[in-house]
Amino acid sequence: MKLIIEPARSALEGRCRVPGDKSISHRLAILGGMAGGQSVISGYLDSADTRATLAAMAALGAEVSESDGEIRILGGRLRAPAGPLDLGNSGTGVRLLAGALAGHPDLRAAEIQLVGDDSLSRRPMGRIVEPLRAMGARIADHAGCLPLTLRPGPLNGIRFRPRMASAQVKSAVLLAGLHAQGETVVVEPGPSRDHTERLLPAFGVEIRRSGAEIHLHGGQVLRAGQFHVPGDLSSAAFALAAGLLVPGSRVVLDQVGLNPTRDGVLRILDGMGAQVEVRPGAAIGSEPVGSLTAKHSTLRGLEIPPEWVPLAIDEFPIIMALAAAADGTTVISGAEELRVKESDRLAVMCRELVRLGVRVEETADGAVVHGGPVHGGTVDSHGDHRIAMSLAVLALVAEGEVAIDNAEWIQTSYPTFVDDLCALGALMRWEEE
Ligand code: S3P
């Protein structure tokens, strides 16, 4: 589907409740499926990615039902699925599930295939396969990629330091550690989102952090619980950016997760001169939450400190879009991980920004974006939800209409994006391609 965006004719005004956090939703589906008893989850993200993880847990024997906006998962006893588990586009789903299943005691006689769509099938899996094998997991890959074939068996705890700051790698090893003999220690090379560590205690699991080390003993029993998912800061970033870009705008986003391991985007926006007011509210479970108000701002370019990159890893497409409309030059470095996301986000954003007249240079580990006028035209999502939404937001301040091909990928993480932006006053419409 093609998404057509007209340049904004008036200010964006209003409040918006962004959908539930994607990272937390995936984790709740997996942990809820493993935990004994019925977990009840409100605010679970209804998107293609998070539905795929729930469906995988259902195929593994968890009883999943939905009513009154709540997901109920009766977990605790898993069985071999009837066929391959298809995680679609979801890196988090496939990597965390591989860890969770690698040593699962209920699945010891099973052979389980994990598969995904074309994009996911190109993404690197060696980063989880290697540590899982070091724990004793029997796991076959296909030249470092999907499909993965698991034959769950006994695991040993390990001490492991990932090469990159990655919450997916850390979480895969910790989830495998739940079924390992002895202690598993992950030594983080730098901070990455810590939702797994925050959620495990709510399922009755003891986990301890000491500096950069996370310690977990195997053989612990998970207990079901009641959970609420806060709004996703990574989704909020789009409406926030729209409010910053369109003259006269004021946009308020309620109940957004403000986990400090995710707040790189707020630091970067602050450095660019954005007027974003952060109002902390009551925590949801172990996650800090608050409201964000964005007012139209004159943004300036910024040399982004590389140590902020893992804290804003999913926000670089929208940061690059904002940089294109800012005064001056924005320099991104230390961001080579962006090349192995749902698309090569450095290459794709640079290519698509050029099509809208932006001056941008791609580098090995980042990009240099020169702010200036943005013209209308046709661009492509390259099958990446965040690329589509970032270009759609930038299009609000383009000189002419912008058409985004393959924009239906937005449903991967934020199916109500177009409705939410239109409710704030944006002019966007779908057309058949
Ligand atoms: C995620 C971790 C990040 C992020 C992804 C979600 C998670 O990936 O890009 O969208 O939920 O753990 P990496 O851990 O590979 O950086």
Side-chain angles (χ1 to χ4, degrees), residues 139-190:
I139 175 166
D141 58 2
H142 187 81
C145 293
L146 298 183
L148 298 180
T149 307
L150 294 171
R151 283 185 295 130
L155 303 180
N156 303 306
I158 49 164
R159 183 181 172 84
F160 173 64
R161 187 179 191 276
R163 283 190 302 275
M164 69 293 283
S166 161
Q168 293 181 358
V169 174
K170 165 177 69 177
S171 301
V173 172
L174 290 173
L175 294 178
L178 288 172
H179 305 120
Q181 273 272 333
E183 192 183 39
T184 293
V185 182
V186 176
V187 185
E188 289 204 274

Side-chain angles (χ1 to χ4, degrees), residues 21-24 26-27 92 95-96 123 127 164-171 192-193 195-196 262 310 313-314 337 340-342 345 385-386:
D21 189 277
K22 180 154 80 72
S23 292
I24 296 174
H26 282 300
R27 285 159 174 78
T92 306
R95 292 189 177 121
L96 268 56
R123 295 179 66 185
R127 53 183 60 197
M164 69 293 283
S166 161
Q168 293 181 358
V169 174
K170 165 177 69 177
S171 301
S192 65
R193 66 190 68 193
H195 305 301
T196 304
R262 296 275 297 276
I313 192 70
D314 290 338
E337 272 295 304
V340 290
K341 295 296 179 189
E342 287 82 330
R345 288 183 171 159
H385 52 128
R386 297 199 205 281

Side-chain angles (χ1 to χ4, degrees), residues 27-311:
R27 285 159 174 78
L28 286 173
I30 294 172
L31 294 171
M34 293 203 298
Q38 178 171 265
S39 292
V40 181
I41 307 165
S42 58
Y44 190 89
L45 171 64
D46 183 16
S47 75
D49 259 23
T50 44
R51 270 198 299 272
T53 301
L54 263 187
M57 294 315 293
L60 284 159
E63 281 178 39
V64 179
S65 60
E66 194 184 342
S67 60
D68 304 327
E70 288 181 336
I71 303 273
R72 284 163 208 276
I73 307 177
L74 186 58
R77 197 169 297 158
L78 299 187
R79 55 170 155 68
L85 300 177
D86 186 352
L87 279 303
N89 196 241
S90 176
T92 306
V94 82
R95 292 189 177 121
L96 268 56
L97 204 55
L101 302 183
H104 201 289
D106 296 348
L107 302 170
R108 296 274 161 99
E111 184 174 285
I112 301 170
Q113 265 223 331
L114 299 178
V115 302
D117 69 8
D118 288 350
S119 153
L120 189 57
S121 301
R122 284 192 297 270
R123 295 179 66 185
M125 294 298 145
R127 53 183 60 197
I128 57 149
V129 168
E130 284 167 26
L132 293 178
R133 280 192 189 138
M135 297 176 84
R138 292 177 298 174
I139 175 166
D141 58 2
H142 187 81
C145 293
L146 298 183
L148 298 180
T149 307
L150 294 171
R151 283 185 295 130
L155 303 180
N156 303 306
I158 49 164
R159 183 181 172 84
F160 173 64
R161 187 179 191 276
R163 283 190 302 275
M164 69 293 283
S166 161
Q168 293 181 358
V169 174
K170 165 177 69 177
S171 301
V173 172
L174 290 173
L175 294 178
L178 288 172
H179 305 120
Q181 273 272 333
E183 192 183 39
T184 293
V185 182
V186 176
V187 185
E188 289 204 274
S192 65
R193 66 190 68 193
D194 63 359
H195 305 301
T196 304
E197 300 93 296
R198 285 175 188 256
L199 278 175
L200 279 171
F203 284 91
V205 172
E206 254 181 63
I207 179 165
R208 182 170 62 82
R209 177 178 279 276
S210 157
E213 295 187 2
I214 305 157
H215 296 248
L216 173 113
H217 276 281
Q220 300 190 55
V221 178
L222 276 77
R223 286 191 313 267
Q226 299 249 356
F227 303 93
H228 181 68
V229 183
D232 197 325
L233 178 58
S234 299
S235 300
F238 298 109
L240 202 67
L244 295 173
L245 283 181
V246 177
S249 296
R250 184 173 182 277
V251 171
V252 185
L253 299 153
D254 292 314
Q255 299 255 339
V256 182
L258 296 175
N259 182 311
T261 58
R262 296 275 297 276
D263 72 357
V265 62
L266 298 177
R267 298 188 201 192
I268 292 167
L269 290 177
D270 186 51
M272 295 178 82
Q275 299 184 67
V276 176
E277 190 192 326
V278 180
R279 236 188 248 170
I284 294 185
S286 52
E287 293 284 347
V289 169
S291 78
L292 299 172
T293 303
K295 287 194 204 130
H296 170 248
S297 309
T298 305
L299 299 177
R300 50 179 187 268
L302 176 72
E303 191 157 332
I304 299 175
E307 62 273 18
W308 290 2
V309 169
L311 309 179

